[in-house]
Amino acid sequence: MTNTEEATAPASPEVDSPLAHLSAETLDRLAEEFDAIHDEVYASLGEKDRKYIKSVIAAQRQLVVAGRVILFASSSKPAWVAGTACLGMAKILENMEIGHNVMHGQWDWMNDPDIHSSVWDWDTASTAEAWKHSHNYVHHTYTNIRGLDKDLGYEIMRIDPKQRWQPVYLAQPFYNALLTVLFEWGVALHDLDLEALWAGEKSPTQVLEELKGIAGKAKAQLVKDYVGWPLVSAAVFGLAQVAMRGKLPQPKTSRVGGWLRRSGRWGAGADIADRWLPGVEKTFLSTLAADVTANIIRNVWAHAIIFCGHFPDQTYTFSKKEVENESRGGWYVRQLVGSANIEGSPLFHVISGNLGYQVEHHLFPDMPSTRYSEVAPKIKDICERYDLPYNTGRFGQQWWMVHRTIARLAFPGGKARPKPGPYRSSADPTGEAAPSEAARFRRRMPSDHPAAGPEHEGGGVAVDPPPR
C-alpha cells in the first residue's frame, strides 16, 4: 500500500502553496536568514549545552533505577503505580529527548564517544541504522512531498485528500488505534521500507538483514522487560519473604501449588508452594504488567507527539512538481509550513523531546533541541516579514485535528481544510516594523564563517537539503 498523490483528485478548492508568492531572490534571502540563525547557535554551543544533555541522561537513568527498585514491591498497588510511572517517564525521556535527538546528530559537536549519533542505540524496536535512513534522510529531506515522504501517513493511512483513496483505508481508524499502542513496532516495520523491495530498489538479502536487526532488538526488549526484570523482582520478594520468615502479606494460595494438587502428586510440594510462592508469583506478574504498561505509555505518548507535529490541519503537503529544482530557501519554507508546533510548558517540551517545536526541528534537525525555544521568536519574525504562516496550536487542538482527519479520509473524497494566514505578532503601536533578529545576527557573522556543525563525520544527520 502506498500513499501516492491523487491521480484524479475530486473537485475541491485548491490551497495555494506558501511558496507561490515567493520569488527566487526572496527564497535566497530567506535561506541566508535561516542559515544565519543556525550558524549563530552553533557558534555559541558550549558547556551549558553539554551539561544539559548529560543531566537529562543522568535523570533518565535515575528514574529507571527508582522504578525498578519500587517495582520490587510491585505486588503493592501504590508501589506498582509509582514504579510504573517512573519507568514510563524514563522510557519517554530515553526515546524522545535523548534517543531521537542524539541520533539526529544534535550532540555530535561535543565529540563525546558515548553521546554520538554513530554509536547511540535506543530502547525501541527500530534499529538505529534503519531509523536514521528512513527518518533523518528520507523524511527530513522530502518532508510532506506526496509520493516521496514515506512518513506521510506512514504508508498505511491517508491523511491528505490528494492521496489516492483505496478501500483498505476504510479500516485506518482501527489500525491507527492499534498503531497508537504498538507504535514502536509499527515504526520498525515502516523502517523496513518494503515498498522499495516490491519496486526492486532493495534486495531480499538486505530486508532479511534488517529483519534480523529488528528481531535482535525485539529479543533484547522482550527478555529484559518481560522476563529478566520480573524474575529479579520476584527473586527479591522471595528473599525478603524468607528473611521475614513468611510474614510479608501475600495471596493464600500459589498457582504452582494449585497445579501440583491438580496433578494428583506432590501434595507436600503444593503445601510448600502455598507458603512461599504466592507473593513471588504475584510480584513476577505485577512487574510484568508494569513493564507492559510502561512500554504502552511510551508508545501512546510518542504517537501523539509525532502525529500532532506532522498531520494537523495547518500543515501543507506538496506535489513532486511543486518542488522541482528546489532551492535551499524553498527547502526551508517547505520544512516551515510542512510541520506544526504544540504549545506547552517547559516540562511538556522536555518530555516531548522538544518536538513541541516541530517547526524549528524541521528547519534545523541537527540543532540541539534545547535551543529551539531560543530560536522560535526569530522564526516568527521571519514569518511575519515574509508573509508566511507559523503553525502552532494547543496539544488538545492538534490531537483532535489529526484524528478527525484520519477518520474522515478513511472514506473517499475529502477537502483540504483552511490553512492559517501569515503570522502576525502583537501590533507595534508606532506602526513600524521591528528589525529582524536574524538580520542582525547575520551582520555580526564574519563573511567567511564556515558551515557550522559536527567536527567529524557522524551517523545522525543525513538530511540532504540543497547546498548553500
Side-chain angles (χ1 to χ4, degrees):
M1 185 190 337
T2 307
N3 279 325
T4 56
E5 186 175 358
E6 189 74 70
T8 55
S12 63
E14 289 294 320
V15 176
D16 289 337
S17 167
L19 290 164
H21 75 283
L22 301 173
S23 67
E25 293 76 13
T26 301
L27 289 173
D28 288 342
R29 291 198 302 272
L30 271 166
E32 290 178 2
E33 295 210 31
F34 284 126
D35 285 341
I37 293 173
H38 176 277
D39 291 351
E40 180 72 13
V41 169
Y42 258 84
S44 68
L45 293 176
E47 190 60 25
K48 180 180 178 181
D49 304 278
R50 183 192 305 272
K51 286 181 178 178
Y52 172 79
I53 188 59
K54 286 184 173 289
S55 66
V56 172
I57 292 172
Q60 186 271 336
R61 290 172 178 172
Q62 289 164 7
L63 279 170
V64 171
V65 172
R68 290 302 176 193
V69 170
I70 294 170
L71 288 174
F72 290 159
S74 60
S75 57
S76 162
K77 288 184 180 179
W80 187 91
V81 171
T84 302
C86 286
L87 202 57
M89 182 59 71
K91 287 178 176 289
I92 285 172
L93 280 176
E94 194 273 341
N95 269 198
M96 306 295 283
E97 182 68 336
I98 302 172
H100 172 274
N101 294 334
V102 170
M103 291 198 299
H104 254 299
Q106 293 179 9
W107 304 99
D108 285 3
W109 59 271
M110 298 192 306
N111 288 326
D112 188 309
D114 299 319
I115 309 174
H116 196 276
S117 60
S118 62
V119 299
W120 194 273
D121 203 353
W122 53 355
D123 180 25
T124 190
S126 292
T127 63
E129 183 179 3
W131 182 84
K132 284 186 286 189
H133 173 76
S134 70
H135 181 82
N136 292 9
Y137 171 65
V138 177
H139 171 58
H140 275 272
T141 300
Y142 304 111
T143 303
N144 283 23
I145 300 176
R146 300 185 297 274
L148 292 180
D149 182 4
K150 298 178 185 299
D151 282 14
L152 196 61
Y154 285 90
E155 299 183 286
I156 61 172
M157 282 181 282
R158 180 175 179 250
I159 51 86
D160 187 281
K162 293 188 180 72
Q163 290 171 296
R164 182 183 291 110
W165 181 84
Q166 300 177 40
V168 70
Y169 291 131
L170 289 170
Q172 75 180 28
F174 302 101
Y175 50 73
N176 177 53
L178 186 63
L179 181 64
T180 301
V181 177
L182 302 175
F183 190 59
E184 63 170 314
W185 304 101
V187 170
L189 292 175
H190 167 72
D191 290 346
L192 279 175
D193 192 9
L194 293 178
E195 182 189 346
L197 174 65
W198 314 142
E201 300 167 358
K202 196 173 186 178
S203 69
T205 302
Q206 184 179 353
V207 172
L208 285 175
E209 286 300 312
E210 292 177 0
L211 277 172
K212 288 179 182 177
I214 294 175
K217 295 297 294 289
K219 179 182 177 182
Q221 186 179 113
L222 294 173
V223 170
K224 172 176 64 72
D225 285 351
Y226 304 147
V227 179
W229 280 112
L231 282 174
V232 171
S233 291
V236 169
F237 181 91
L239 291 173
Q241 186 72 295
V242 171
M244 296 293 292
R245 298 184 179 182
K247 294 179 180 179
L248 291 178
Q250 63 178 3
K252 294 181 179 179
T253 58
S254 159
R255 289 177 172 81
V256 173
W259 177 81
L260 291 173
R261 286 192 179 86
R262 286 192 298 273
S263 69
R265 297 177 295 176
W266 310 104
D271 292 339
I272 294 173
D274 283 342
R275 180 177 180 183
W276 297 106
L277 293 186
V280 171
E281 294 168 352
K282 184 177 181 181
T283 300
F284 178 93
L285 294 174
S286 296
T287 301
L288 173 62
D291 288 358
V292 171
T293 304
N295 280 321
I296 291 174
I297 289 171
R298 181 264 314 279
N299 289 341
V300 170
W301 182 252
H303 177 280
I305 295 300
I306 292 168
F307 274 50
C308 289
H310 290 91
F311 307 143
D313 294 351
Q314 305 109 313
T315 58
Y316 288 79
T317 64
F318 301 85
S319 67
K320 296 176 186 177
K321 185 176 181 180
E322 285 178 283
V323 297
E324 285 180 353
N325 303 313
E326 185 177 56
S327 67
R328 187 174 180 85
W331 181 87
Y332 271 126
V333 172
R334 177 163 55 81
Q335 303 301 322
L336 173 75
V337 301
S339 49
N341 283 1
I342 313 167
E343 296 163 10
S345 67
L347 176 60
F348 170 85
H349 287 303
V350 171
I351 64 176
S352 67
N354 276 287
L355 294 179
Y357 293 104
Q358 191 70 241
V359 169
E360 288 72 21
H361 173 60
H362 267 268
L363 289 169
F364 311 116
D366 66 336
M367 183 181 290
S369 59
T370 52
R371 295 300 193 101
Y372 292 151
S373 60
E374 172 187 323
V375 303
K378 304 176 184 67
I379 305 305
K380 292 177 181 177
D381 174 55
I382 290 175
C383 289
E384 186 164 18
R385 289 184 292 104
Y386 287 89
D387 287 334
L388 291 167
Y390 182 82
N391 301 330
T392 187
R394 299 183 306 278
F395 183 37
Q397 169 192 332
Q398 307 292 58
W399 189 91
W400 162 248
M401 287 181 183
V402 168
H403 291 277
R404 177 184 61 187
T405 295
I406 290 172
R408 169 61 188 91
L409 296 185
F411 300 93
K415 296 180 180 179
R417 294 189 177 273
K419 304 296 183 186
Y423 173 79
R424 293 289 179 262
S425 63
S426 300
D428 186 335
T430 66
E432 297 180 357
S436 163
E437 286 292 316
R440 290 204 300 271
F441 291 158
R442 188 171 65 254
R443 287 195 296 270
R444 290 206 303 269
M445 297 295 293
S447 59
D448 59 349
H449 186 273
E455 296 176 22
H456 61 277
E457 290 296 323
V461 184
V463 61
D464 188 22
R468 299 191 186 197

